[in-house]
Amino acid sequence: MPTEEVCDSVSAEDDAKKGPDVPFLLEERVKEKVSWKDVLRKKVGKKCSCSSARIKALLVDSIPIVKWLPRYQFKDWIIGDAMSGLIVGILLVPQSIAYSLLAEQDPIYGLYTSFFASIIYTLLGTSRHISVGMFGVLCLLVGQVVDRELTLAGYPSDTNQTTLGNVDNSTGPVCDRSCYAVMVAATLTFTAGVYQVLMGLLQVGFVSVYLSDSLLSGFATGASLTILTSQIKYFLGLHLPRVQGWGSLIKTWISLFKNLGHTNLCDLVTSVLCLLVLVPTKELNDRFKAKLKAPIPFELFVVIAATLASHFGLFEETYGSDVAGNIPTGFMPPQLPNWSLIPNIAVDAFSIAIVGFAITVSLSEMFAKKHGYMVDPNQEMYAIGFCNIIPSFFRCFTTSAALTKTLVKESTGCQTQLSGLVTALVLLLVLLVIAPAFYSLQKCVLAVIIVVNLRGALRKFGDIPQMWRVNHVDTIIWLITMATSALVNTELGLLVGVLVSAFCVLGRTQSAQVRQLGQAGDRELFEDLVSSYKGLQNQPGVAVFRYEAPIYYANQALFKKSLYRSVGLDPLKEKARRRKLDKQRNQKQGGEDQKQEMDVSTNMYLLQYNSLHTLVIDCSPVLFLDTAGVNALKEVCKDYKGLGVDVLLVQCNPSVIDSLRRGGYYDPKKGTKDIQFHTLSDAVSYAQSLKSQNGDCDTVV
C-alpha cells in the first residue's frame, strides 16, 4: 500500500475517533454543604458576641460622631462649618415659622423641630453635608392628617375655640384646637420614627433603590402643586377650611373662585409686594451663587420688614389680617404621645416614614458621591428615625433632609455636621430671646415664602420635553406620579408611582425580543444580525439567537413564541401539519394523488429546513430561571429535537446552570448532556463538528 494511502487512512481513523470538537471546560469548585443550623448559629453568635472590641465597634457604628469628631481638623474646617451653620440657621428662622403654617401648627413648633433635628442628626447621621429639618412635602402630609383628625374630633375649622367634647387627651381633661393639633402631629411623628427605626433594625435600607429619581421627582412636583394651592387662601386672606379626600386640589380651586369676593385687600397687597421682592432676589442668589460666598438672606429681610410694617401699621386691628400671633420663648416640658390616636394614623405614618427616608437617603448618597465618601442607608434610617422619635416628645413634627438648605450648606463651605450644631445655636437664640418679636408677622408673608421655595419643583414642567427625549418610560412614570399626587391624593400618588415603576420593569421583560446574531468576520464577536450592524455573517447550518431578559413564569410563553418566530420554524405547527397529512393518508390509503401531495410537501420541507441542524441560544442576558423558565427550555429542546435540530445553551451564569440541573434539563437519557459552552465560538465549532460527523441528511427526522 502506498505511503500516502496509509497516512490518509490513519488520519480518517483518527478523525473518527476524535469525534466532534470538545468545548473548553472549566473545573468547578466543589461546594461544601453547610446546614442551615450551622449558618444560623454562626450569625447569631456573631451578632450576640460580647467583647470590648464588639462594644466599641457597635458604639462607633451607632453614633458616627464618635468616629469623626476626634479626627476633626479644627484649623481647616471650623470656618466653613461655622459659616454654613450660621447662614442655614438664619434661613431656617423664617422657613420654620412658614412651614408650621403648612403643617397646621403654631410657629413655635416649627422652630422646635428644626432645633432638635439639627442636633440629633449631627450625632447620628453619616452624611457630612445634608441639612435635616422641615421638608414641604412632609409638612403637607402632616397637615392633611392633622386637619382630618381635627374634623373627626369635632373641632371647628380654623379657630382656636376651646372644646370640652369627647377628646381622649392624656395630658388633661381640656384641650383646645391648637393643643389637639399638636398632639396629633407629635403622635404621627413618633409613629413614623418608630417605623423608620424598625426598618433600620431589619436592615431594609435597600428599599430606597426601588424609589427611582423620576418617581420621587414626580411625587415632589405633584405635592408642590397641592402645597401651592393650599397657600393661595393665605395670599387672599380667605378663611377657608382645608379640603380633604380625593380631588382636593380641584375642590380647593373651586372654593377659592367662589370666595374671591371676600378677599382681604391688605393681605393681597402684602403678598404681591413680597412676591415682587423675593422672586427676583432668589433668582439673583441662584445666578450669582458661584461668586457669592454665602446667599443673601432676603427671606429674613422680608420677614423683618413685613413684621415692622404690620406692627406699626396695625394691620391686624385695622384690616383684619391674620398674623402669626404669640410665639412664646423657652421650651415646654415633654409630653407623651396620645397612644389612642396611633390606630387612626398608623397607615399615614408609614407613608410619611417612607417618603422621609427616601428623600434623606437620596440626598445623602448624591452629596456623598459628589464629595467622595460613603453613607450607610441603614444608619441614615436610624438617624432620621430618632430625629422624629425624640423631638415628638417636645411637640415637634416630622422631618427629613431638605434640598434647598443642603445646597446652601454645601455652597457655604460645610465640611462636617458640626455646622448643624451652629445652626442649632442660632435657633436656640431665637427660641430664648427673639421669637416674640414675630407676633405681628402676617400669615400671607409666610405663605409667600413657602411658594417661592417651590420654584425648583415647579420648574420640572419645563424639563418634560428633555426628559421625553432621554427616556420615554421615566417620563411616563413622572407624569403619572405627578398627576396622581396632585389631582387625586398625595399619598396615593406615591403608591401609584411605585406600582407603575414595577409594571414598567415587568413590561420590559415582557417586551424583550429574541435577536438573531451574526459573526463579525473571523473574530469571536457576535452581534445583532438584523438591526444593529452591517457585514455580519451567518454560520452555515447554525442559527445563533439571544434572548435579552430573564426567563420566568410571566414571559416563558413569549420567549418560546419569539424564538419560534425568529427561527422561522415552529415545531408545534410542523407537528400539527404532519399529523394532518398522516390523517389524510390514512383516510385515502392507496390514493396516488395523496401520495404525490405528501411527497411534494415533505420534499419542500426538507429543502427549506435541512440546512439548519443546530440552534444556539446565547443565555448571557438571562439573569435567572424559575421552574417555568426551565420547563420552557426543556420544551424548546424537545420540540426541536423531534425535527432533528440540536439546541445548545451558551454563556449561562452559575445560577442559571444550577437551575437547569435542579430542573432536570440535563438528562443524558434524553440526549441533553451537561455540556457547558463559555463562548459562542465554542458552541458554533461544536455544532459544525457535529454536522460533519452526522452527514448532511441526518438533521431532519
Side-chain angles (χ1 to χ4, degrees):
M1 180 179 294
T3 304
E4 293 181 359
E5 294 181 4
V6 173
C7 292
D8 290 341
S9 63
V10 171
S11 177
E13 290 178 3
D14 291 343
D15 289 341
K17 292 179 181 179
K18 183 179 179 182
D21 288 351
V22 178
F24 179 75
L25 299 178
L26 290 173
E27 184 178 358
E28 297 185 30
R29 292 183 180 272
V30 179
K31 298 179 181 179
E32 297 182 2
K33 293 184 178 180
V34 182
S35 66
W36 65 271
K37 294 181 180 179
D38 294 336
V39 174
L40 182 61
R41 189 182 300 112
K42 184 177 180 180
K43 288 187 175 181
V44 171
K46 184 178 179 180
K47 292 291 184 182
C48 298
S49 61
C50 185
S51 63
S52 59
R54 172 69 177 166
I55 294 174
K56 182 179 179 181
L58 185 62
L59 178 65
V60 170
D61 291 340
S62 302
I63 309 177
I65 192 174
V66 175
K67 182 177 182 180
W68 60 261
L69 189 58
R71 304 175 185 176
Y72 188 82
Q73 301 177 20
F74 189 85
K75 292 182 179 180
D76 297 331
W77 293 350
I78 189 61
I79 295 178
D81 284 342
M83 178 63 71
S84 63
L86 178 64
I87 295 297
V88 172
I90 292 172
L91 293 176
L92 269 176
V93 173
Q95 290 186 14
S96 298
I97 298 173
Y99 282 110
S100 301
L101 187 70
L102 189 59
E104 292 283 339
Q105 303 294 298
D106 293 335
I108 187 66
Y109 302 119
L111 294 170
Y112 285 165
T113 301
S114 297
F115 171 76
F116 285 109
S118 298
I119 295 176
I120 296 171
Y121 189 82
T122 299
L123 300 175
L124 303 180
T126 58
S127 172
R128 303 175 190 172
H129 295 89
I130 67 169
S131 175
V132 174
M134 285 173 292
F135 181 58
V137 175
L138 290 181
C139 292
L140 172 69
L141 297 176
V142 171
Q144 290 176 341
V145 176
V146 169
D147 193 71
R148 184 193 69 203
E149 293 301 316
L150 286 172
T151 303
L152 292 175
Y155 286 96
S157 177
D158 205 19
T159 66
N160 288 320
Q161 298 176 5
T162 302
T163 301
L164 299 175
N166 52 356
V167 179
D168 183 11
N169 183 9
S170 60
T171 61
V174 177
C175 187
D176 64 11
R177 187 179 192 277
S178 175
C179 166
Y180 194 71
V182 171
M183 186 190 307
V184 173
T187 305
L188 180 67
T189 301
F190 173 82
T191 309
V194 170
Y195 280 137
Q196 290 166 334
V197 171
L198 287 177
M199 287 189 285
L201 289 173
L202 296 175
Q203 302 288 297
V204 293
F206 64 88
V207 299
S208 62
V209 303
Y210 295 104
L211 302 175
S212 64
D213 292 340
S214 58
L215 185 154
L216 291 175
S217 176
F219 173 72
T221 304
S224 297
L225 291 176
T226 305
I227 294 172
L228 173 64
T229 302
S230 69
Q231 299 307 298
I232 297 298
K233 66 180 182 180
Y234 297 107
F235 275 47
L236 304 176
L238 298 175
H239 296 270
L240 301 176
R242 182 183 298 217
V243 179
Q244 292 287 339
W246 291 11
S248 59
L249 183 140
I250 298 174
K251 294 176 182 177
T252 301
W253 279 106
I254 293 173
S255 178
L256 287 169
F257 283 119
K258 288 182 178 179
N259 292 275
L260 280 178
H262 300 91
T263 299
N264 187 306
L265 292 179
C266 179
D267 286 344
L268 178 60
V269 171
T270 304
S271 300
V272 172
L273 291 176
C274 291
L275 280 173
L276 291 176
V277 173
L278 282 179
V279 172
T281 53
K282 282 280 191 177
E283 293 295 330
L284 287 174
N285 264 339
D286 292 342
R287 179 166 296 184
F288 297 104
K289 62 183 178 182
K291 298 181 180 180
L292 294 173
K293 293 184 178 180
I296 303 173
F298 289 109
E299 288 176 344
L300 185 62
F301 298 157
V302 168
V303 165
I304 294 173
T307 303
L308 293 174
S310 176
H311 175 73
F312 291 106
L314 302 176
F315 288 173
E316 182 184 14
E317 296 82 355
T318 306
Y319 304 105
S321 294
D322 278 343
V323 296
N326 182 44
I327 304 177
T329 57
F331 292 91
M332 301 180 185
Q335 80 173 16
L336 293 174
N338 189 329
W339 310 113
S340 63
L341 282 173
I342 292 180
N344 297 350
I345 50 88
V347 176
D348 304 286
F350 183 75
S351 62
I352 289 174
I354 293 295
V355 173
F357 165 69
I359 297 297
T360 303
V361 170
S362 299
L363 289 179
S364 299
E365 292 180 343
M366 180 175 72
F367 285 93
K369 187 182 297 182
K370 181 177 179 180
H371 292 276
Y373 61 92
M374 299 292 293
V375 294
D376 183 358
N378 290 310
Q379 180 61 30
E380 290 295 293
M381 189 90 82
Y382 286 126
I384 202 65
F386 283 111
C387 281
N388 288 322
I389 291 177
I390 297 175
S392 68
F393 294 99
F394 296 91
R395 301 169 177 83
C396 300
F397 48 92
T398 316
T399 58
S400 74
L403 176 60
T404 305
K405 292 182 283 294
T406 300
L407 290 172
V408 171
K409 198 172 183 179
E410 182 210 23
S411 64
T412 51
C414 172
Q415 298 293 330
T416 68
Q417 281 297 333
L418 196 65
S419 61
L421 296 181
V422 178
T423 299
L425 288 175
V426 175
L427 294 171
L428 181 63
L429 177 65
V430 174
L431 283 167
L432 296 180
V433 180
I434 306 175
F438 295 105
Y439 176 91
S440 299
L441 178 61
Q442 292 169 273
K443 289 185 177 180
C444 64
V445 178
L446 302 177
V448 169
I449 292 174
I450 293 173
V451 171
V452 169
N453 282 302
L454 298 177
R455 293 173 305 125
L458 297 178
R459 280 175 180 165
K460 290 292 183 180
F461 286 103
D463 298 336
I464 293 177
Q466 176 64 20
M467 292 167 56
W468 182 259
R469 286 191 293 269
V470 172
N471 192 299
H472 293 358
V473 175
D474 286 346
T475 308
I476 291 172
I477 293 172
W478 188 92
L479 289 171
I480 293 176
T481 306
M482 181 275 299
T484 308
S485 300
L487 301 177
V488 183
N489 181 271
T490 308
E491 296 92 337
L492 184 64
L494 182 64
L495 176 61
V496 169
V498 171
L499 293 177
V500 170
S501 299
F503 279 118
C504 286
V505 173
L506 183 62
R508 289 175 182 178
T509 66
Q510 293 292 303
S511 61
Q513 297 294 322
V514 175
R515 301 189 182 277
Q516 186 175 4
L517 306 182
Q519 188 172 8
D522 297 330
R523 298 178 181 273
E524 295 184 359
L525 178 63
F526 292 79
E527 292 296 341
D528 185 9
L529 184 65
V530 178
S531 60
S532 296
Y533 300 99
K534 298 179 180 179
L536 302 179
Q537 301 173 356
N538 266 328
Q539 296 298 322
V542 181
V544 184
F545 293 90
R546 175 187 294 154
Y547 189 65
E548 299 179 339
I551 305 174
Y552 62 111
Y553 70 94
N555 69 348
Q556 52 89 18
L558 178 63
F559 161 71
K560 292 190 293 182
K561 182 179 179 181
S562 300
L563 180 64
Y564 294 160
R565 183 176 61 250
S566 300
V567 174
L569 173 61
D570 190 332
L572 303 179
K573 291 182 179 180
E574 179 57 31
K575 289 179 181 180
R577 186 188 67 83
R578 289 188 179 187
R579 285 195 297 268
K580 182 178 179 181
L581 292 179
D582 289 341
K583 184 177 180 181
Q584 292 177 356
R585 182 183 60 183
N586 293 333
Q587 291 177 352
K588 300 179 181 179
Q589 292 181 356
E592 192 68 20
D593 295 339
Q594 177 65 22
K595 185 175 183 301
Q596 291 178 357
E597 180 184 350
M598 285 189 58
D599 291 341
V600 171
S601 177
T602 304
N603 289 334
M604 288 178 63
Y605 170 75
L606 290 173
L607 288 172
Q608 184 177 0
Y609 297 112
N610 67 351
S611 61
L612 178 64
H613 57 81
T614 306
L615 175 63
V616 178
I617 302 178
D618 179 10
C619 296
S620 57
V622 180
L623 300 179
F624 64 89
L625 292 172
D626 65 356
T627 304
V630 174
N631 290 335
L633 288 173
K634 289 165 70 174
E635 291 172 10
V636 167
C637 181
K638 178 182 177 182
D639 291 341
Y640 276 115
K641 193 70 175 178
L643 300 179
V645 178
D646 291 317
V647 177
L648 305 180
L649 305 183
V650 189
Q651 300 187 122
C652 299
N653 64 54
S655 66
V656 170
I657 293 173
D658 289 341
S659 298
L660 292 171
R661 287 174 178 166
R662 291 195 302 268
Y665 177 84
Y666 295 115
D667 188 355
K669 296 180 180 179
K670 296 181 180 179
T672 51
K673 300 179 181 179
D674 190 352
I675 302 177
Q676 300 174 27
F677 298 95
H678 301 287
T679 66
L680 288 169
S681 298
D682 283 351
V684 171
S685 299
Y686 180 81
Q688 290 174 335
S689 64
L690 281 178
K691 174 68 174 177
S692 64
Q693 292 294 317
N694 296 336
D696 292 342
C697 299
D698 193 34
T699 60
V700 179
V701 179

